[in-house]
């Protein structure tokens, strides 16, 4: 059996308790990873250089420590963060703030270099920080995180364990101010977009669960989410379909699947319409014919003459009706 290209690396998570004496800078090599870590007051700065790696097991993930916020800046290469509600791929000069309490998987398919800054979540400057997202991302055009990453890397390149206590304390004060302002700006901007995506996904899930209800509408979805109809509409302003169109498409998708299912060949069109959330066979016929170019009866005849295992939506139809994951 060939060995996996992915190797285990050190897990740097959390901030160790404040010490009476400054911690020394340490350099560690293990497997295909090399790290360098230094403490500046209650901040821990880490440079991490590694080959292909995957951290996706419960005991090797980032973000599950609610007492720590982690700022990451990619120096070189490409890395991916994964969570059950979000995925993001970061290239050089991109940054991410891991601020939620849910574990975040980390993966890189090729060598990469990153800089990490761990800061206690109870820092007085971060008391009002949003915590609605497991992580938020800043792209390369966000100059402040990139500048902070360069500053951190420069600190680690120096022989910082030889710094005098006074100099180390001064650096810690400056670094704390820079880190807090950077983290706050990145989190507030990122969480605003995250909250919108989360509400939009909640609306899509409600539609998927309740499409058979003939009373399902934009108004009922808004009421379920505790939003006004205008607020609900704003969630979908950057998309090409309204909430009403989403409802119609989900119903149409299920109607087409049922009409092509030979096991339902004995069900009447009225029953198929009811099962799919349409108020009448006329409404179903109109929606199905607009989506496929065929009438419901044509779809049924087509299904009888083909292999039952092939009665699925075409790729074009799947793309048209798909509810995207966010």
């Amino acid at each position: 059996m060939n060995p996996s290209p992915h190797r285990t690396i050190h897990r740097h998570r959390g901030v160790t308790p404040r010490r009476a004496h400054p911690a020394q800078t340490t350099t560690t090599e293990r497997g295909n990873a090399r790290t360098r870590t230094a403490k500046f007051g209650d901040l821990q700065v880490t440079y991490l250089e590694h080959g292909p790696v995957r951290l996706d097991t419960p005991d090797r993930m980032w973000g599950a420590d609610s007492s720590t916020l982690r700022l990451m800046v990619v120096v070189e290469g490409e890395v991916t963060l994964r969570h059950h509600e979000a995925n993001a791929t970061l290239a050089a000069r991109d940054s991410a703030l891991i601020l939620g309490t849910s574990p975040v998987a980390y993966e890189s398919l090729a060598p990469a270099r990153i800089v990490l800054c761990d800061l206690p979540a109870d820092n007085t400057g971060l008391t009002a920080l949003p915590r609605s997202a497991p992580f938020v991302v800043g792209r390369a055009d966000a100059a402040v995180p990139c500048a902070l990453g360069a500053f951190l890397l420069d600190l680690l390149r120096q022989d910082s364990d030889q710094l005098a206590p006074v100099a180390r304390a001064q650096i810690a004060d400056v670094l704390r101010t820079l880190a807090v302002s950077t983290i706050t700006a990145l989190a507030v901007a990122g969480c605003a977009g995250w909250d919108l995506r989360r509400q939009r996904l909640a609306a899509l899930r409600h539609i998927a669960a309740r499409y058979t209800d003939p009373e399902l509408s934009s108004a009922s979805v808004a009421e379920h989410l505790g939003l006004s109809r205008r607020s609900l509409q704003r969630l979908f302003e950057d998309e090409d379909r309204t909430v009403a169109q989403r409802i119609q498409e989900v119903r149409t998708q299920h109607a087409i699947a049922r009409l092509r299912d030979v096991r339902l060949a004995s069900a009447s069109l009225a029953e198929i319409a009811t099962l799919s959330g349409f108020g009448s066979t006329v409404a179903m016929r109109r929606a199905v014919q607009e989506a496929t170019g065929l009438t419901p009866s044509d779809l049924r005849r087509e299904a009888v003459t083909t292999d039952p295992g092939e009665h699925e939506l075409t790729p074009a139809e799947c793309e048209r009706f798909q509810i995207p994951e966010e």
Side-chain angles (χ1 to χ4, degrees):
M1 181 180 295
N2 294 327
S4 169
H6 300 285
R7 298 186 183 178
T8 299
I9 62 176
H10 285 296
R11 184 187 184 201
H12 297 277
R13 170 179 158 193
V15 175
T16 55
R18 183 191 299 271
R19 300 182 184 179
H21 302 285
Q24 291 186 338
T25 301
T26 59
T27 301
T28 305
E29 293 192 24
R30 180 179 178 185
N32 64 344
R34 184 166 66 92
T35 70
R36 186 173 176 83
T37 301
K39 291 277 292 182
F40 297 93
D42 56 1
L43 279 74
Q44 179 169 291
V45 181
T46 302
Y47 167 75
L48 178 58
E49 179 179 330
H50 61 76
V53 68
R54 184 187 298 119
L55 302 179
D56 58 359
T57 58
D59 62 331
R60 295 188 178 276
M61 283 184 166
W62 292 352
D65 189 348
S66 60
S67 66
T68 303
L69 299 178
R70 164 162 286 177
L71 176 66
M72 179 179 75
V73 180
V74 180
V75 178
E76 183 179 286
E78 185 175 276
V79 303
T80 299
L81 299 179
R82 301 188 188 281
H83 183 265
H84 68 274
E85 291 185 344
N87 296 325
T89 298
L90 284 68
R93 294 175 57 84
D94 288 343
S95 57
L97 176 61
I98 302 171
L99 76 170
T101 57
S102 298
V104 175
Y106 174 94
E107 181 179 10
S108 177
L109 300 179
R113 298 190 296 135
I114 63 174
V115 180
L116 305 170
C117 180
D118 290 333
L119 182 69
D122 59 1
N123 183 288
T124 55
L126 301 171
T127 54
L129 199 67
R131 302 294 162 85
S132 60
F135 63 84
V136 295
V137 173
R139 293 305 176 183
D141 56 357
V144 176
C146 292
L148 178 59
F151 176 58
L152 296 175
L153 186 58
D154 191 53
L155 277 179
L156 290 172
R157 282 171 175 163
Q158 301 180 39
D159 192 11
S160 56
D161 58 320
Q162 300 300 318
L163 290 172
V166 173
R168 179 179 288 275
Q170 291 174 339
I171 291 176
D173 288 340
V174 172
L175 181 56
R176 187 181 300 106
T177 300
L178 290 174
V180 168
S181 60
T182 301
I183 287 173
T184 301
L186 188 60
V188 170
C191 285
W194 176 271
D195 287 338
L196 290 176
R197 291 193 297 273
R198 176 168 288 180
Q199 286 183 311
R200 183 165 58 235
L201 185 57
L204 295 176
R205 286 173 174 166
H206 182 66
I207 291 171
R210 300 296 300 275
Y211 73 92
T212 58
D213 182 357
E215 301 301 320
L216 182 67
S217 65
S218 299
S220 66
V221 173
E223 182 179 359
H224 172 75
L225 296 178
L227 302 173
S228 67
R229 292 187 64 178
R230 177 56 187 151
S231 296
L232 178 64
Q233 291 171 1
R234 279 197 290 266
L235 295 179
F236 293 85
E237 280 183 344
D238 59 345
E239 298 194 359
D240 59 353
R241 286 165 289 181
T242 65
V243 176
Q245 289 172 328
R246 286 279 193 176
I247 295 172
Q248 179 81 342
E249 289 180 351
V250 171
R251 287 171 172 166
T252 303
Q253 174 188 8
H254 285 278
I256 292 172
R258 289 184 171 111
L259 289 167
R260 285 177 167 165
D261 190 341
V262 294
R263 294 171 300 178
L264 297 176
S266 61
S268 67
L269 293 182
E271 289 173 325
I272 297 295
T274 300
L275 288 172
S276 303
F278 287 99
S280 66
T281 55
V282 174
M284 182 181 71
R285 177 189 176 92
R286 185 184 305 115
V288 168
Q289 194 162 5
E290 181 180 345
T292 66
L294 300 174
T295 67
S297 297
D298 291 336
L299 284 179
R300 283 191 145 176
R301 282 193 292 270
E302 184 182 77
V304 171
T305 59
T306 57
D307 189 294
E310 298 178 354
H311 302 315
E312 300 179 355
L313 295 178
T314 65
E317 290 168 343
C318 288
E319 182 178 355
R320 178 181 178 86
F321 296 128
Q322 184 180 11
I323 296 177
E325 296 181 1
E326 299 197 10

